[in-house]
Amino acid sequence: MIRYDEKNKVFLIDTENTSYGIAVVDDRYVCHAYYGKKLADTDIRYLLREDEAPLTPSVNKRETGAFLDFAHMEYPETGMGDYRESALCVRSMNGHRASELCYEGYEIVPGKPALEGLPATWGKEEECTTLKIFCRDALLGMKVTLLYSVFEGSDALCRSALIENEGEESFYIEKALSACIDMCDRDFEVMGLFGSWARERHIQRMPLGYGRQNISSFKGESSHQEHPFLALVTPETTQDCGEVYAMNFVYSGNFIAQAEKSQFDSVRMTMGIHPEGFTWKLEPGKRFTVPEVVMVYSAEGLGKMTRTFHDLYREHLIRSPYLHEKRPILINNWEATYFDFDEKKLLEIAKDASELGIEMLVMDDGWFGKRSLDDSSLGDWFVNEDKIKGGLNELVENVKKLGMKFGIWVEPEMISPDSDLYRKHPDWAIQIPGRDITQSRAQYVLDFSREEVVDAVYEMIADVLRSADISYVKWDMNRQLATLGSFALPADRQGELSHRYMLGVYRMQERLITDFPQILLENCSGGGARFDAGMLYYSPQIWCSDDTDAMERLAIQEGTALVYPVSAMGAHVSVCPNHTVGRVTPFETRGDVALLGTFGYELDITKLSAEEKELVKVQVEKYHKYNDLIREGDYYRLASVADNGYYDSWMTVEKDRSRALLFYVQVAARANAKSRFIRLAGLDADKCYMVEGKVYAGSTLMNAGVRISSEFGDFKSRLIEITEA
Ligand code: DGJ
């Protein structure tokens, strides 16, 4: 519900358990008044401390500059005297960097407007409500509409903004973030997700000091290294208690997420497109839409935050018809063959896989152009018939005869210097004239800011998809953007390239899922460099990491599941010694870890021993038994090996609390150890549950726990089903 208190000039945006307060000061400033647990009334003006402007308290209590550097603002701007991080920075044609938004009015509407060309949460009119706050800078003729949407039954709040030029002259947007909140400090700690290739999204938590702490990417993608998620938590916060303020960006390109503790002990939390290298020329009559930020406040710890994101994304972000379906168990030939395969090898894999219950073969990188290594052919999206003899359709039909579906890998955004496409259109690569193009994995990035480039690549790939019965596409992206320059943009618009590139990627993904609605799309970026909420709008699943080692995956999947539904996490069983870290783990454990996600295999199944093949059958059975529960249930993190050094545990609980599944892995054996008790979560305290043949009260399982014996040896996993008795 969204209320406006005319007398106090206060907006209160309520969700089931939270309130978000905005106040209009002096009929002019749009100030942030409150975010936290639900409030009963709107009489909250005192929270603004309007009489406490610093510097000249006894002389001029409302001296504007001082007020601006102290006030809690909704959309702070550069140039007028707020020296903290701004959300908006605009440069006029005569070079001045300043703007001064004045409140003009508001509108509360049912539903949620779509964001032009951008991924965003969505909902029916009866499911959500939007507050629009209109502001204007008279000098620039700039209108800014701040958008706030809330959904029935969700504690999330979604923010975005529209910037319109209603003036006579163009201006340049140099920064336009998506969300800002100002709060009084509560000894906040900063939580983020950090990593590297094959080591994505490890959780990091550290105290917030004075100054600015930010997490960002200007690599042109959300990145392996830093992630568009930021949470401020109180020191006592755990999985089930303490306060959390979280922001997650529904965008896949450059971002900045920042916490700034000011001289007055207030904390400003911001998120949006990274201003590094960004400018956008806004001509009269044009508008710019900033991508969406989803904010979640939880007074019940990180677990509640996680489940709020999961539910919102499953109900109001992911659109795929496959969202609520058990995905086919796939086998991907990447770790099995890398580039060294032909149709015969693929059919051998498919044959053995089909006999064990695997349902789809995915042909990974190397099937097109003359690609036999990673040094050529990106952009030449034609089947290499020297490798795939008889052509794609014949291969697909032969795979189908085995009772399996067929999937294919593509990397649409890239171009190899050694490709026919590059020889024909060298100007299609992103580049700065006169400079060597920075290469990475021997490839360049296509200029997806250009419609004709996107369209040409789309047509080539669509032709391939039309040429055979293809059920799945893995869309990969294996390098970051550099040497940023576009032949299609004038000098004063070069700063638009990275964002226009993302809009091009989104446009092509939209076209793909519209023209081929039967195709299950999985996004991927050199592993998990683009596992973000933006991509989830187009694909219900994303490859989580190139690291398939079961132990490494514990941290990667824990960090990913902190924000994103487990139904979206691409997770596969691979061989040992693991190709990334050389570790040897039991086949059973690899299967149990991969169950937390979209299950599959990434190995040469023809080389497995008879015993391992029997284990594949058991894993396939487990997947069919538990996937509905894992995919649709509530996820609870119970223990993390990163904290305790020995074991990891999570569980998933059916929404009606009638059934649950406990996962436990003993990562490291401990000498002379006794059994441990894992306290369950999310059950109904008053119900009785059957666990391994014995009945317990829900309260006993949650307060005293399930007893797990210590085992001899490392990396041992257990799955325990809990059913209502
Ligand atoms: C990176 C992906 O994450 C891998 O799974 C594989 O598809 C390779 N790219 C292929 O180049």
Side-chain angles (χ1 to χ4, degrees):
M1 186 166 96
I2 303 182
R3 282 176 279 173
Y4 179 56
D5 169 349
E6 180 77 52
K7 185 171 142 255
N8 287 305
K9 299 208 166 11
V10 165
F11 295 94
L12 209 59
I13 306 171
D14 288 334
T15 67
E16 208 164 301
N17 301 292
T18 73
S19 291
Y20 187 99
I22 300 168
V24 179
V25 171
D26 293 348
D27 286 327
R28 174 175 176 186
Y29 300 107
V30 181
C31 291
H32 179 73
Y34 177 78
Y35 191 27
K37 267 191 177 180
K38 200 156 186 167
L39 301 181
D41 66 352
T42 50
D43 189 5
I44 56 170
R45 275 303 277 252
Y46 72 98
L47 293 171
L48 298 179
R49 298 175 290 173
E50 289 165 71
D51 54 345
E52 281 184 51
L55 298 180
T56 53
S58 54
V59 185
N60 180 0
K61 290 190 174 168
R62 298 302 310 281
E63 187 263 319
T64 312
F67 170 74
L68 284 175
D69 204 29
F70 167 74
H72 289 187
M73 305 299 286
E74 277 300 313
Y75 206 59
E77 300 152 276
T78 299
M80 299 305 295
D82 182 346
Y83 299 101
R84 295 162 291 176
E85 183 77 28
S86 63
L88 181 67
C89 175
V90 179
R91 176 165 51 90
S92 64
M93 285 315 267
N94 48 24
H96 303 128
R97 275 189 185 81
S99 61
E100 215 181 352
L101 290 175
C102 288
Y103 174 78
E104 277 201 332
Y106 76 98
E107 204 179 356
I108 296 170
V109 294
K112 181 170 187 292
L115 303 182
E116 218 176 325
L118 287 166
T121 55
W122 45 268
K124 297 194 194 106
E125 288 213 338
E126 60 278 17
E127 292 171 330
C128 45
T129 314
T130 299
L131 165 67
K132 299 179 181 180
I133 294 185
F134 306 112
C135 314
R136 182 175 303 276
D137 178 290
L139 194 64
L140 293 166
M142 174 175 67
K143 178 177 175 189
V144 173
T145 307
L146 304 177
L147 298 164
Y148 303 81
S149 300
V150 281
F151 293 86
E152 280 302 310
S154 169
D155 277 330
L157 172 68
C158 302
R159 284 189 65 172
S160 174
L162 300 178
I163 303 169
E164 289 165 274
N165 187 345
E166 295 187 344
E168 315 265 279
E169 265 201 337
S170 298
F171 53 78
Y172 296 95
I173 303 169
E174 297 201 328
K175 171 160 58 165
L177 302 187
S178 301
C180 168
I181 43 171
D182 284 327
M183 303 174 279
C184 294
D185 187 28
R186 255 166 271 163
D187 286 334
F188 281 126
E189 294 175 2
V190 181
M191 259 184 95
L193 300 170
F194 297 85
S196 181
W197 170 76
R199 197 164 19 90
E200 297 89 342
R201 290 176 295 287
H202 284 229
I203 298 170
Q204 179 177 268
R205 181 166 166 174
M206 58 195 166
L208 172 66
Y210 288 103
R212 299 173 184 196
Q213 272 167 251
N214 71 52
I215 299 171
S216 71
S217 161
F218 42 91
K219 298 182 164 77
E221 58 174 9
S222 43
S223 92
H224 295 100
Q225 290 76 13
E226 302 187 28
H227 193 76
F229 164 79
L230 173 70
L232 294 181
V233 300
T234 44
E236 74 282 6
T237 296
T238 61
Q239 282 297 318
D240 37 38
C241 76
E243 286 186 282
V244 184
Y245 292 87
M247 287 185 179
N248 187 217
F249 207 14
V250 188
Y251 188 65
S252 316
N254 296 343
F255 74 90
I256 186 162
Q258 185 166 281
E260 177 182 4
K261 186 165 156 179
S262 80
Q263 55 182 330
F264 304 115
D265 292 323
S266 70
V267 174
R268 173 165 289 177
M269 187 178 183
T270 47
M271 183 176 272
I273 292 180
H274 204 304
E276 170 84 29
F278 172 85
T279 48
W280 194 277
K281 183 178 185 182
L282 204 65
E283 289 171 339
K286 298 282 185 207
R287 87 176 165 200
F288 181 80
T289 308
V290 306
E292 178 171 68
V293 162
V294 175
M295 306 197 324
V296 172
Y297 168 77
S298 160
E300 292 161 55
L302 291 162
K304 174 76 195 310
M305 172 208 76
T306 292
R307 289 182 291 281
T308 304
F309 277 119
H310 286 194
D311 286 344
L312 182 79
Y313 290 169
R314 284 184 296 196
E315 285 158 31
H316 297 290
L317 178 66
I318 303 172
R319 299 172 296 167
S320 167
Y322 292 95
L323 170 64
H324 295 296
E325 281 190 20
K326 200 154 23 111
R327 321 285 157 76
I329 300 177
L330 67 81
I331 184 156
N332 179 303
N333 74 305
W334 180 241
E335 284 196 31
T337 64
Y338 296 102
F339 294 101
D340 187 16
F341 64 89
D342 57 13
E343 88 293 345
K344 256 202 188 131
K345 181 69 207 169
L346 293 176
L347 284 169
E348 276 168 28
I349 292 176
K351 185 169 168 299
D352 281 17
S354 67
E355 284 164 8
L356 302 176
I358 295 171
E359 299 157 312
M360 180 161 74
L361 175 78
V362 175
M363 177 171 70
D364 210 279
D365 192 356
W367 56 266
F368 51 93
K370 59 178 178 68
R371 189 156 166 102
S372 52
L373 263 182
D374 60 8
D375 58 358
S376 83
S377 304
L378 293 167
D380 297 343
W381 300 110
F382 310 103
V383 179
N384 179 349
E385 297 211 8
D386 292 337
K387 255 185 172 177
I388 310 299
K389 290 174 209 78
L392 185 62
N393 189 46
E394 192 175 310
L395 171 63
V396 175
E397 289 307 311
N398 285 332
V399 169
K400 281 172 60 192
K401 278 187 200 139
L402 296 167
M404 292 175 89
K405 295 173 183 242
F406 186 89
I408 198 166
W409 175 100
V410 290
E411 194 176 2
E413 297 154 72
M414 298 294 150
I415 182 165
S416 302
D418 180 9
S419 65
D420 291 343
L421 188 70
Y422 186 70
R423 281 180 281 275
K424 198 163 165 210
H425 296 288
D427 62 306
W428 282 12
I430 287 180
Q431 62 195 282
I432 299 175
R435 291 194 189 283
D436 286 344
I437 310 179
T438 303
Q439 278 198 37
S440 174
R441 211 193 191 211
Q443 63 199 53
Y444 300 154
V445 184
L446 278 168
D447 185 353
F448 261 40
S449 74
R450 292 168 69 169
E451 275 190 24
E452 73 274 27
V453 175
V454 175
D455 290 345
V457 175
Y458 180 77
E459 285 311 333
M460 273 188 275
I461 289 175
D463 279 349
V464 173
L465 300 181
R466 280 185 214 110
S467 73
D469 187 3
I470 291 174
S471 306
Y472 160 107
V473 166
K474 176 177 172 186
W475 177 312
D476 203 349
M477 193 258 189
N478 280 299
R479 62 156 293 178
Q480 296 91 29
L481 275 56
T483 36
L484 287 168
S486 166
F487 281 108
L489 294 171
D492 65 345
R493 285 189 180 273
Q494 289 292 331
E496 299 177 16
L497 177 55
S498 297
H499 183 58
R500 285 187 183 276
Y501 174 87
M502 271 327 305
L503 295 177
V505 171
Y506 290 145
R507 195 166 67 79
M508 179 160 161
Q509 296 224 345
E510 187 69 41
R511 218 174 143 188
L512 184 75
I513 58 172
T514 308
D515 293 353
F516 301 92
Q518 80 287 2
I519 284 183
L520 167 61
L521 179 63
E522 173 155 353
N523 268 293
C524 168
S525 177
R530 223 164 43 182
F531 198 120
D532 56 59
M535 284 291 144
L536 286 181
Y537 186 66
Y538 304 93
S539 64
Q541 60 194 61
I542 305 176
W543 183 228
C544 211
S545 175
D546 276 347
D547 193 339
T548 50
D549 171 71
M551 295 305 106
E552 294 284 303
R553 275 288 180 134
L554 294 177
I556 296 169
Q557 294 180 184
E558 178 184 359
T560 307
L562 184 71
V563 188
Y564 305 104
V566 298
S567 61
M569 300 199 304
H572 297 168
V573 177
S574 63
V575 290
C576 282
N578 177 267
H579 288 194
T580 310
V581 290
R583 185 177 287 125
V584 177
T585 51
F587 202 86
E588 294 91 329
T589 303
R590 282 176 261 158
D592 287 348
V593 172
L595 282 178
L596 187 69
T598 66
F599 188 72
Y601 291 84
E602 185 104 8
L603 42 73
D604 187 348
I605 203 153
T606 65
K607 295 194 180 137
L608 293 189
S609 66
E611 193 195 331
E612 285 172 324
K613 284 187 172 168
E614 284 309 307
L615 290 173
V616 170
K617 285 190 198 158
V618 175
Q619 291 171 346
V620 164
E621 214 177 284
K622 278 190 190 173
Y623 170 78
H624 288 302
K625 188 166 175 201
Y626 296 128
N627 183 259
D628 285 347
L629 173 57
I630 293 172
R631 199 185 62 242
E632 306 287 336
D634 286 337
Y635 167 85
Y636 290 84
R637 166 62 46 184
L638 304 180
S640 169
V641 63
D643 299 334
N644 63 49
Y646 290 100
Y647 60 99
D648 211 70
S649 183
W650 55 264
M651 68 184 288
T652 180
V653 184
E654 220 155 77
K655 290 272 177 202
D656 67 3
R657 304 203 229 173
S658 63
R659 191 170 166 236
L661 185 69
L662 169 68
F663 167 88
Y664 176 88
V665 61
Q666 175 179 292
V667 177
R670 193 160 191 231
N672 196 20
K674 304 289 184 217
S675 54
R676 13 182 105 87
F677 295 97
I678 296 292
R679 290 199 277 181
L680 305 191
L683 301 175
D684 185 332
D686 300 326
K687 278 184 179 166
C688 285
Y689 295 92
M690 175 79 80
V691 183
E692 298 188 311
K694 207 174 163 255
V695 174
Y696 302 84
S699 56
T700 307
L701 294 170
M702 292 194 290
N703 299 330
V706 168
R707 182 170 158 193
I708 308 273
S709 54
S710 171
E711 289 206 51
F712 188 69
D714 296 338
F715 318 136
K716 302 282 174 64
S717 69
R718 284 179 69 179
L719 279 185
I720 300 175
E721 190 176 354
I722 296 131
T723 43
E724 193 178 337

